[in-house]
Amino acid sequence: MSKKAKSNILLLITSVVWGFAFVAQKAGTSLEPFTYNGIRILVGCISLLPVIAFFSKKNASKKIDGERVVGDKMTGNAESISEEINDAALTAVSPKQARTDLINGGLVCGIFLAIASNLQQFGIYMDTDAGKAGFITSLYIVMVPMLGIFLRKKVGLRMWLCVLVGAIGFYLLTMAGKNDGLTLEKGDFFVLLCAFVFSLHILAVDHFSPKCDGVKLSCLQFFVAGVISLACMFIFEDPKISEILDCWLPILYAGVMSSGVGYTLQILGQKEADPSTASLIMSLEAVFAVLGGALIFRESLSLIEFVGCAVIFAAVIISQLPSKKAAA
């Protein structure tokens, strides 16, 4: 099997893990949103600590002898991993500046992540199906280029078309089946807001990630988002230890699998994969969210909702196809 094929398989597994995380979030609605989110995000933060230690050890070994590190069971190529995790730009800044960028990035990205993830959990808590939440959230992929307008980035005709198609798909998925065709459920509205804030989060990550270690940035943003969520839990909710313990499996899955395992597989998978292919494979996350909801919660979509999902998926896929200029 070629390296690209192996990378694509890893990315496919990543999309499955992330898709089923929506199911874990639905199962977590036995807890109030801030309680579930605060705990599972901090679990995600902790799950990344071994990943940081692993790659830090590889990086240190590379600096010492510049050779392949013996015992690397995942890829056997520590140099490639180091190059993937640590952008070359890191070497151009002082350690003090890198720490400052890491802290600033962790705070900014963590705040956006806290807002987005809690909006999403509130939407699911208000009875939005796991599958619907997955597809609505995927609209952030279309929103990100549009927000780039405020950063003076050009938006082509194709992206405007994707926005229009995505809006039509959202209407079909959330409102078209209602009596008046204009009613938007609260849960769906919260998830739509979540997609918008996730777009801001992606732009923030895009700004800070070239300046610092990507895994450390992810871990720190999880810590900040978890602390914010737990603070809101103590202010607005009434957490009970017994209920939290009863929800241990959804918490662990969303924390460990979605964050630690999923993020690591993404890093390893993108090492050899073509960028456009990688983004297309990972967009299948929404499809697996629907599949997981159907298998575990017996969720089902009406015909018009199914068409809405298909239209949104088409908008997401088209938005990620390489342009002629990029291909050239």
Side-chain angles (χ1 to χ4, degrees), residues 322-328:
S323 62
K324 291 182 179 179
K325 290 182 179 181

Short mmCIF file of all heavy atoms in Angstrom, two decimals, residues 322-328:
data_model
loop_
_atom_site.label_atom_id
_atom_site.label_comp_id
_atom_site.label_asym_id
_atom_site.label_seq_id
_atom_site.Cartn_x
_atom_site.Cartn_y
_atom_site.Cartn_z
N PRO A 322 -9.83 22.13 -5.71
CA PRO A 322 -8.76 23.07 -6.09
C PRO A 322 -9.15 23.87 -7.31
O PRO A 322 -9.79 23.36 -8.22
CB PRO A 322 -7.57 22.14 -6.38
CG PRO A 322 -8.19 20.81 -6.71
CD PRO A 322 -9.42 20.71 -5.88
N SER A 323 -8.78 25.15 -7.27
CA SER A 323 -9.06 26.01 -8.41
C SER A 323 -8.09 25.71 -9.54
O SER A 323 -7.07 25.04 -9.36
CB SER A 323 -8.94 27.48 -8.01
OG SER A 323 -7.63 27.76 -7.60
N LYS A 324 -8.36 26.25 -10.73
CA LYS A 324 -7.48 26.03 -11.87
C LYS A 324 -6.10 26.62 -11.63
O LYS A 324 -5.08 26.07 -11.99
CB LYS A 324 -8.10 26.64 -13.13
CG LYS A 324 -9.35 25.92 -13.61
CD LYS A 324 -9.88 26.55 -14.89
CE LYS A 324 -11.11 25.80 -15.38
NZ LYS A 324 -11.65 26.42 -16.62
N LYS A 325 -6.07 27.77 -10.95
CA LYS A 325 -4.79 28.42 -10.65
C LYS A 325 -3.97 27.56 -9.71
O LYS A 325 -2.76 27.40 -9.88
CB LYS A 325 -5.03 29.81 -10.02
CG LYS A 325 -5.60 30.82 -11.00
CD LYS A 325 -5.75 32.17 -10.32
CE LYS A 325 -6.30 33.21 -11.29
NZ LYS A 325 -6.44 34.54 -10.64
N ALA A 326 -4.67 26.99 -8.67
CA ALA A 326 -3.96 26.15 -7.72
C ALA A 326 -3.45 24.90 -8.38
O ALA A 326 -2.36 24.40 -8.10
CB ALA A 326 -4.89 25.80 -6.54
N ALA A 327 -4.28 24.35 -9.29
CA ALA A 327 -3.89 23.12 -9.97
C ALA A 327 -2.69 23.35 -10.87
O ALA A 327 -1.82 22.51 -11.05
CB ALA A 327 -5.06 22.58 -10.79
N ALA A 328 -2.67 24.54 -11.47
CA ALA A 328 -1.56 24.87 -12.34
C ALA A 328 -0.26 25.07 -11.58
O ALA A 328 0.80 24.76 -12.04
CB ALA A 328 -1.89 26.13 -13.13
#
